[in-house]
Structure formats: structure tokens, C-alpha cells
Amino acid sequence: MQITTLKITNSITEMSNQFNLTPRESEIFAFLTIYGYNNKELSQMLYISEKTLKNHISSIILKAKCKSTRQLLSMVINYQSDTFQINLQFQPKITQSI
């Protein structure tokens, strides 16, 4: 787990630089990605209002050219698989109803 967290942290740092995130945005990006805190928990932890946090998240999403937080987190996973050549074998099963 420790090595995986280190790899993710390195990827987040690289992505933060690529997206030109501010230090605060980079910090929020890391907390969202690694720990998955909700807005209330994260805003309390960082001593900012939920509105300020949402503004930071919106800015991160805009700079990353994403449409949602989910897409942003998916980008981190895809970045990880490209960087560390992880072979993801997940194929969602699609069923048709007749």
C-alpha cells in the first residue's frame, strides 16, 4: 500500500505541474485522489468553507479539461496505467434486455 500511495503521489505531482495547479489546488487534488474525502470533511480538514473548496475543485477540473470530479479521478487512474504500464483487464459486461 505504501509503494502504491507513493506512485500515486508522484503521478499527482506530475499532473499538477502539467495542469499548472496552484499549491492549494495540488493539495486538494491529492486529498481527493488518495483519500476520497467528501467536501464537508475536506473543507473542515483544510479550514476553508465548502464554497471555497468547491471553487478550488472547479478550477482543478477546468485546468484539467475535465467535465466532472469522476472524470478527473479516472484521468489519474489512466495516467497511472500509462506511466507504470499496468495492464488493466477490466471489461464491463453489457447485457441487452429483450
Side-chain angles (χ1 to χ4, degrees):
M1 182 71 172
Q2 190 94 4
I3 293 171
T4 303
T5 303
L6 180 60
K7 288 180 180 180
I8 292 171
T9 303
N10 289 340
S11 294
I12 291 167
T13 301
E14 290 172 16
M15 293 176 78
S16 293
N17 292 334
Q18 181 181 348
F19 301 145
N20 296 315
L21 300 183
T22 67
R24 188 62 150 182
E25 290 168 345
S26 295
E27 179 182 31
I28 290 168
F29 183 37
F31 279 115
L32 283 173
T33 306
I34 296 170
Y35 303 109
Y37 293 126
N38 65 37
N39 289 351
K40 184 175 182 176
E41 293 168 330
L42 189 52
S43 65
Q44 290 173 347
M45 187 175 183
L46 298 172
Y47 302 104
I48 58 176
S49 71
E50 281 189 65
K51 176 65 176 145
T52 300
L53 177 66
K54 288 178 184 181
N55 288 339
H56 283 299
I57 293 171
S58 294
S59 179
I60 296 165
I61 290 170
L62 182 67
K63 289 179 180 182
K65 297 183 172 110
C66 292
K67 295 179 183 172
S68 67
T69 305
R70 284 185 180 182
Q71 187 180 20
L72 180 68
L73 297 177
S74 176
M75 186 183 290
V76 174
I77 292 168
N78 290 325
Y79 187 87
Q80 280 290 112
S81 65
D82 289 345
T83 302
F84 299 106
Q85 300 176 345
I86 296 170
N87 186 10
L88 300 177
Q89 296 295 324
F90 176 73
Q91 292 286 333
K93 293 184 180 183
I94 301 172
T95 58
Q96 288 183 318
S97 57
I98 300 176

